[in-house]
């Protein structure tokens, strides 16, 4: 029996309260060409189960996604291969139904999985300590800014304009409700200008946040920034979007980061239309007591038997509210288990292979671009910006690519305010094959 508690008058009152005339107005952000007319699905009043499955399977096959197209989208979420064993492990009841492990005597499996996850993330990022874990990269970046303020007892946060726009927006929103200053440094190009960032540092600066590789895929040396942070007695926070990069390039820890935060989605976690994902948070050992979230540790009991426990859990649920380091009151434990399973399966060599293929695919694409398209200059990992002569040229290419089932890139103005509508953010992973690149280049030629 259906239970629909809302009457027509209830719905009318809710619509009036939020200021829209009808339910259809709530979907106004979806382009009209994707709207489905009422009755167009031609669903019968009743169908056998087999008929229902057949009908919706055929409808689903019309969807274009990363599995049945050539995929060059990035911007913080990446199409990496997820081995079948990852889904098998996290689908086991011990992990799928596990709740927050307050009671170590009945949560040893979950605690060990989280401990192993922390160990591998700390190794991959080159940092001393990892927590377990954060929601995703944007809130992890914001929490890093708050942690730096606690550590330094200063209130000013400097953010490079080459950090992912979503990370910047969430951090700015966090800080907007607190005393102190948030300064965003314009980069002036599709890369990171450390001279501009360093010039923005002053005696009140708690931390400087940069992304490496940055939002545009740029790879650069952080030595000068590290020296500037030391001189100003502020922390250097390094954000990242694709942690698999550190199987190939220098890690944040090797570059001297005090805090390194970012996304773990590339470690065996599907894109999932934006989530659930995994936020990574690491730091130097000396700052561990200001680390948000929680840390699992390995210890021994009174009989000398190895066991795993929550070593640090400075959340509002556990200590006095004014002493809590974060209002994060849950975590992504299942996603941590997926990442730990993936890293265990791949090993150092496997992760390095993924990173090499991702970088090589971008190099292959950029090195063969036609004259009417240019790529951002400087060293890049697996992401870059392609620039067209004008908006019309880019749109012709996107139309040609779409007709050939190619997701060709993200129009940059959609996620980066104030950018000309002729740029395209393009990413490659190990899932991009040479034939995909050839098809991409052919679409560029067709659109001339």
């Amino acid at each position: 029996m259906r239970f629909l508690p809302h009457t027509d008058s209830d719905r009318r009152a809710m619509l009036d309260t939020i200021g829209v005339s009808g339910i259809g107005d709530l979907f106004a952000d979806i382009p009209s060409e994707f709207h489905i007319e009422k009755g167009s699905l031609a669903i019968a009043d009743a169908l056998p189960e087999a008929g229902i499955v057949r009908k919706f399977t055929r409808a689903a096959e019309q969807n274009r996604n990363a599995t049945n197209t050539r995929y060059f989208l990035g911007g913080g979420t990446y199409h990496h291969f997820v081995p079948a064993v990852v889904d098998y492990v996290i689908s086991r009841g011990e992990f799928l139904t596990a709740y927050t492990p307050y009671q170590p005597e009945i949560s040893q499996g979950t605690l060990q999985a989280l401990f192993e996850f922390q160990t591998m993330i700390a190794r991959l990022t080159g940092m001393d300590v990892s927590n377990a874990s954060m929601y995703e990269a944007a809130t992890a970046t914001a929490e890093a800014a708050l942690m730096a303020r606690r550590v330094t007892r200063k209130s000013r946060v400097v953010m490079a304009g080459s950090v992912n726009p979503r990370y910047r927006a969430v951090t700015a929103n966090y800080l907007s409700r607190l005393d102190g200053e948030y300064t965003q440094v314009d980069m002036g190009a599709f890369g990171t200008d450390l001279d501009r960032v360093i010039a923005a540092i002053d005696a009140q600066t708690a931390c400087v946040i940069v992304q490496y590789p940055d939002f545009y895929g740029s790879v650069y040396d952080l030595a000068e920034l590290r020296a500037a942070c030391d001189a100003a007695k502020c922390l250097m926070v390094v954000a990242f979007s694709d942690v698999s990069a550190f199987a190939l390039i220098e890690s944040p820890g090797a570059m001297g980061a005090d805090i390194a935060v970012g996304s773990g989605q590339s470690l065996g976690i599907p894109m999932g239309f934006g989530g659930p994902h995994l936020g990574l948070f690491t730091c130097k050992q000396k700052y561990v007591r200001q680390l948000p979230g929680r840390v699992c540790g390995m210890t021994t009991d009174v009989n000398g038997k190895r066991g795993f426990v929550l070593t640090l859990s400075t959340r509002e649920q556990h200590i006095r509210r004014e002493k809590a380091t974060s209002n994060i009151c849950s975590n992504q434990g299942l996603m941590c288990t997926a990442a730990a399973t993936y890293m265990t399966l791949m090993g150092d060599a496997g992760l390095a292979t993924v990173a090499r293929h991702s970088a090589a695919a971008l190099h292959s694409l950029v090195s063969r671009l036609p004259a009417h398209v240019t790529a951002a200059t400087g060293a890049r990992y697996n992401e870059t910006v392609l620039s067209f002569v004008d908006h019309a040229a880019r749109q012709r290419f996107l139309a040609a690519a779409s007709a050939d089932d190619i997701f060709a890139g993200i129009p940059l103005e959609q996620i980066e305010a104030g950018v000309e509508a002729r740029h395209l953010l393009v990413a490659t992973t190990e899932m991009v094959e040479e034939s995909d690149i050839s098809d991409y280049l052919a679409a560029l030629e067709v659109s001339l």
Side-chain angles (χ1 to χ4, degrees), residues 323-404:
K323 296 293 185 180
T325 59
S326 171
N327 66 354
I328 297 292
C329 55
S330 184
N331 78 342
Q332 299 290 65
L334 194 64
M335 300 297 101
C336 290
T337 305
T341 303
Y342 176 85
M343 289 186 285
T344 301
L345 181 68
M346 300 297 286
D348 293 348
L351 288 171
T353 298
V354 167
R356 282 197 301 271
H357 278 271
S358 299
L362 183 70
H363 176 75
S364 177
L365 174 63
V366 169
S367 64
R368 296 153 58 189
L369 289 172
H372 69 292
V373 180
T374 59
T377 58
R380 308 277 154 163
Y381 170 56
N382 70 334
E383 201 155 12
T384 193
V385 176
L386 302 186
S387 300
F388 294 74
V389 292
D390 54 29
H391 174 71
R394 189 194 68 183
Q395 294 309 105
R396 287 196 301 272
F397 165 61
L398 289 176
S402 178
D404 199 24

Side-chain angles (χ1 to χ4, degrees), residues 65-286:
N65 55 67
T67 65
N68 58 19
T69 62
R70 279 64 62 84
Y71 197 85
F72 292 82
L73 305 186
T77 303
Y78 302 91
H79 178 39
H80 286 285
F81 180 69
V82 180
V85 70
V86 175
D87 285 339
Y88 169 76
V89 170
I90 66 172
S91 296
R92 290 183 61 90
E94 304 97 307
F95 294 121
L96 187 61
T97 61
Y99 184 57
T100 305
Y102 296 120
Q103 297 172 280
E105 64 273 19
I106 60 172
S107 302
Q108 284 300 290
T110 297
L111 286 164
Q112 182 173 358
L114 295 177
F115 177 81
E116 302 292 356
F117 161 82
Q118 292 170 182
T119 303
M120 288 184 276
I121 292 300
R123 284 187 56 194
L124 185 56
T125 58
M127 301 297 289
D128 296 334
V129 184
S130 168
N131 74 2
S133 58
M134 308 299 286
Y135 292 130
E136 34 62 57
T139 50
T141 305
E143 291 287 351
L146 298 184
M147 175 176 165
R149 286 163 51 107
R150 293 192 299 271
V151 169
T152 62
R153 298 186 179 182
K154 295 191 283 186
S155 60
R156 184 166 178 264
V157 173
V158 174
M159 176 85 77
S162 54
V163 174
N164 188 306
R166 295 180 179 90
Y167 305 176
R168 284 186 269 137
V170 171
T171 303
N173 192 39
Y174 265 56
L175 297 174
S176 68
R177 301 297 184 265
L178 302 172
D179 293 332
E181 181 184 352
Y182 169 78
T183 301
Q184 183 173 303
V185 183
D186 180 30
M187 292 294 96
F190 301 127
T192 300
D193 186 340
L194 283 184
D195 289 338
R196 295 190 182 199
V197 177
I198 291 170
I201 300 173
D202 63 16
Q204 299 306 311
T205 301
C207 69
V208 178
I209 304 175
V210 295
Q211 185 169 330
Y212 164 83
D214 67 23
F215 178 63
Y216 312 107
S218 179
V219 178
Y220 51 96
D221 190 353
L222 288 167
E224 290 185 8
L225 181 60
R226 177 68 270 171
C229 289
D230 288 339
K233 293 182 172 55
C234 66
L235 301 190
M236 185 172 84
V237 178
V238 177
F240 50 84
S241 288
D242 190 339
V243 71
S244 68
F246 305 130
L248 180 66
I249 64 175
E250 288 277 19
S251 67
M255 291 282 202
D258 294 299
I259 303 172
V261 293
S263 174
Q265 179 268 325
S266 60
L267 302 175
I269 298 172
M271 292 183 289
F273 301 99
H277 285 178
L278 173 62
L280 305 180
F281 199 115
T282 64
C283 69
K284 290 182 176 178
Q285 178 70 39
K286 62 183 177 180

Side-chain angles (χ1 to χ4, degrees), residues 307-318:
F308 298 90
V309 296
L310 280 181
T311 302
L312 186 68
S313 193
T314 52
R315 303 186 298 162
E316 291 179 0
Q317 294 168 306
H318 301 139

Side-chain angles (χ1 to χ4, degrees), residues 10-32:
D10 290 336
R11 285 189 283 271
R12 183 71 264 158
M14 288 188 284
L15 292 171
D16 290 343
T17 299
I18 61 178
V20 297
S21 60
I23 291 176
D25 294 341
L26 300 177
F27 303 94
D29 290 338
I30 301 175
S32 58

